[in-house]
Amino acid sequence: MTEHNRPLDVLILAAGQGTRMKSKLPKVLHPVAGRPMVAWAVKAAQELGARRIVVVTGHGAQKVEAALKQPGIVFARQEQQRGTGDAFLSGVGALEQPDADILVLYGDTPLLRPETLHDLLADHRERGSAMTVLTGELPDATGYGRIVRGAGGNVERIVEQKDASESEKKIGEFNSGVYVFNSQAPELARRIGNDNASGEYYLTDLLGLYRDSGKPVRAFKLADTDEVRGANDRAGLAEIESIMRARINAGHLKNGVSISASETVYIEDSVTIGRDVTIEPGVILRGQTRIADDVTVGAYSVVTDSVLETGVSVKPHSVLEGAQVGSGSDVGPFARLRPGTVLGEGVHIGNFVETKNARLGAGVKAGHLAYLGDVTIGQETNVGAGTIVANFDGVNKHQSTVGAGVFIGSNSTIIAPRCVGDAAFIAAGSAVHADVPEGAMAVARGKQRNIEGWSRRYWEGLKEKVAVKLPWLAGWLEQNTPQ
């Protein structure tokens, strides 16, 4: 087996409590751009092609394990948090074979790019290192362990802040805590002691053990130190979220997406976006959303787990969840498409229209103030303002079908389950409680009857109240009361 094709195992240390988060949620489960922090480390390990991914859990272990449960991930419990060395030993016990390079990551550093880790691993293997430390450079590295290099550039020691001399405190290169070890690491780690002030087992002690055995320890320096920024409290979490959001948006800008006021736009990394798409200010795109070319998403719209096909226009303040919008359709403003909505090509959904589990054929128009739930509507049907498909009887939901080329007059109610045939008409204000045959016109409303003088007689009976609350009506009554 050559250096370059050795298998890779990844240990993700995620046992810490994170008390400074002041939360019932384990620290590593706090989300960053739509994923729990620890899930970013899992994603990076998967993109590296890791043979085995071991997540070391402790505080809130059941919640962490439930959130990450998927094929290819195993868990190891660190029952007592006794330092990074102890966490490492807890994790390597879950490895199947001692023949791999071992990469150590952390559950609270989600900004570390897979590309950086790929380069780290390549450097470790090409140089034949036994241990490689991922390092960064800061003008002032106060608080970090410092990297002390030897004459040949190899790492001699990692000195913690509290133990550093004045000259060592001036060193700008710091230890990120991310390491690649060769397959000897589990054996050497068993020799780590806890003869220190805190009584803990430190993973950094492996450096000395490797050097004592004559094996080379080297450093790989980061270009961007933000990649190893951790989140210890809510303020740190917000900073990481901001960096990740800017990184994701920059990637879309590079790939031909126009994003107005990028700092106000939130896009999760699971979202895919085509070219010549315009994203207006305040937009939120979440989950498994797929956006094709030439789409516009209007200001302050929220799109979750939805598909927008070519040329779709989502106008401002619209909310889409679990919806599929056909090419050339337009939605909004102030529209809501709920799960199960499927719009064909060229559909128009206007302001204050809500759909749920609704399939609308090509060219359907629902311009204003409608609720379309549990319904299939054929192509080129016109849905008038105020139309309601009354799909719920208080116990069960019922499905209705409206054919092609139907005209539904304003303020109509279709009481499910109903079937309206092709080319039918529904007169405005109708409450449709029976099926409508193809080509028929349904009129389901009471006959209008005008009662002359009713208003004057009614308000006369409330004359005193009218005089106080509606003086204009009192004046009308005065003028229209027979002398």
Side-chain angles (χ1 to χ4, degrees):
M1 187 182 299
T2 66
E3 296 283 341
H4 292 279
N5 64 8
R6 281 197 305 268
L8 174 68
D9 292 332
V10 177
L11 264 61
I12 301 172
L13 308 188
Q17 185 171 359
T19 55
R20 283 181 282 176
M21 285 289 185
K22 301 189 186 308
S23 173
K24 297 186 293 293
L25 190 68
K27 173 183 175 181
V28 298
L29 291 185
H30 283 266
V32 171
R35 296 178 191 269
M37 282 196 286
V38 66
W40 286 98
V42 170
K43 180 174 182 282
Q46 290 170 331
E47 292 186 15
L48 287 173
R51 178 183 69 179
R52 196 165 181 82
I53 301 171
V54 179
V55 180
V56 180
T57 62
H59 178 73
Q62 291 182 336
K63 290 182 179 179
V64 175
E65 291 166 12
L68 296 179
K69 187 177 181 180
Q70 58 182 283
I73 299 176
V74 296
F75 301 97
R77 294 277 180 94
Q78 186 186 16
E79 299 298 344
Q80 294 178 295
Q81 279 70 66
R82 300 184 299 177
T84 53
D86 180 62
F88 179 81
L89 282 172
S90 299
V92 295
L95 298 178
E96 291 180 334
Q97 297 175 336
D99 60 345
D101 289 324
I102 301 172
L103 171 64
V104 175
L105 301 175
Y106 296 86
D108 63 349
T109 53
L111 295 173
L112 198 50
R113 299 176 188 268
E115 299 88 344
T116 298
L117 295 173
H118 179 274
D119 292 344
L120 166 67
L121 185 61
D123 182 84
H124 174 81
R125 291 172 170 176
E126 287 169 4
R127 299 171 69 185
S129 302
M131 171 181 175
T132 302
V133 185
L134 183 66
T135 70
E137 186 86 25
L138 289 171
D140 181 1
T142 298
Y144 289 96
R146 307 304 206 284
I147 300 298
V148 180
R149 294 189 185 238
N154 288 354
V155 180
E156 285 190 348
R157 291 179 295 129
I158 298 173
V159 183
E160 298 302 324
Q161 173 78 26
K162 63 181 182 297
D163 300 320
S165 66
E166 289 304 313
S167 61
E168 288 169 340
K169 289 178 181 177
K170 295 177 182 177
I171 296 172
E173 189 176 12
F174 67 89
N175 174 29
S176 73
V178 174
Y179 311 99
V180 184
F181 301 112
N182 68 9
S183 58
Q184 191 182 3
E187 176 190 344
L188 291 176
R190 294 185 182 93
R191 304 182 199 172
I192 295 174
N194 65 339
D195 186 15
N196 52 59
S198 59
E200 293 189 348
Y201 298 85
Y202 294 125
L203 194 53
T204 50
D205 289 354
L206 267 179
L207 189 155
L209 294 170
Y210 270 115
R211 288 184 56 79
D212 290 346
S213 64
K215 299 296 173 54
V217 178
R218 298 189 172 93
F220 181 84
K221 190 181 290 187
L222 281 163
D224 179 7
T225 58
D226 274 342
E227 289 194 44
V228 290
R229 184 187 290 233
N232 293 317
D233 55 23
R234 304 289 181 135
L237 185 66
E239 290 173 0
I240 285 175
E241 175 82 33
S242 179
I243 293 168
M244 184 68 81
R245 188 171 69 183
R247 181 190 291 180
I248 292 170
N249 289 0
H252 289 300
L253 289 166
K254 184 178 180 181
N255 290 330
V257 178
S258 294
I259 303 178
S260 305
S262 180
E263 69 280 3
T264 71
V265 171
Y266 175 94
I267 305 174
E268 294 180 354
D269 82 306
S270 52
V271 174
T272 62
I273 306 177
R275 293 185 176 181
D276 295 315
V277 170
T278 298
I279 308 295
E280 294 183 355
V283 166
I284 298 174
L285 304 176
R286 291 186 170 129
Q288 301 304 311
T289 293
R290 302 286 180 265
I291 299 178
D293 295 349
D294 303 309
V295 169
T296 297
V297 183
Y300 306 104
S301 293
V302 180
V303 183
T304 305
D305 295 327
S306 296
V307 176
L308 309 183
E309 297 180 1
T310 304
V312 164
S313 175
V314 176
K315 296 176 183 177
H317 299 280
S318 295
V319 178
L320 287 70
E321 181 181 2
Q324 182 172 335
V325 183
S327 59
S329 295
D330 66 283
V331 176
F334 296 99
R336 185 183 182 194
L337 307 188
R338 292 168 58 191
T341 294
V342 179
L343 307 185
E345 294 184 5
V347 171
H348 169 61
I349 297 292
N351 46 281
F352 304 105
V353 173
E354 178 179 352
T355 63
K356 190 273 294 182
N357 194 25
R359 301 183 68 91
L360 278 59
V364 169
K365 294 177 175 57
H368 325 273
L369 300 158
Y371 173 70
L372 309 175
D374 296 296
V375 64
T376 299
I377 300 178
Q379 63 184 8
E380 301 299 336
T381 285
N382 185 86
V383 179
T387 294
I388 295 174
V389 178
N391 57 331
F392 185 49
D393 64 6
V395 178
N396 298 308
K397 299 289 180 71
H398 299 277
Q399 184 77 29
S400 291
T401 302
V402 177
V406 173
F407 182 90
I408 303 175
S410 297
N411 201 34
S412 294
T413 301
I414 298 173
I415 303 171
R418 290 281 72 81
C419 179
V420 179
D422 294 345
F425 277 70
I426 296 175
S430 293
V432 178
H433 52 85
D435 291 348
V436 182
E438 179 179 337
M441 178 175 183
V443 183
R445 59 192 183 205
K447 184 178 180 180
Q448 182 171 326
R449 184 163 62 101
N450 298 335
I451 302 172
E452 296 292 335
W454 185 91
S455 292
R456 180 176 56 78
R457 292 193 298 273
Y458 174 76
W459 290 117
E460 278 283 347
L462 300 173
K463 197 168 187 179
E464 291 183 4
K465 290 183 180 179
V466 168
V468 174
K469 294 188 176 182
L470 298 172
W472 66 269
L473 183 56
W476 180 85
L477 288 170
E478 190 68 32
Q479 294 177 10
N480 289 275
T481 299
Q483 298 300 319

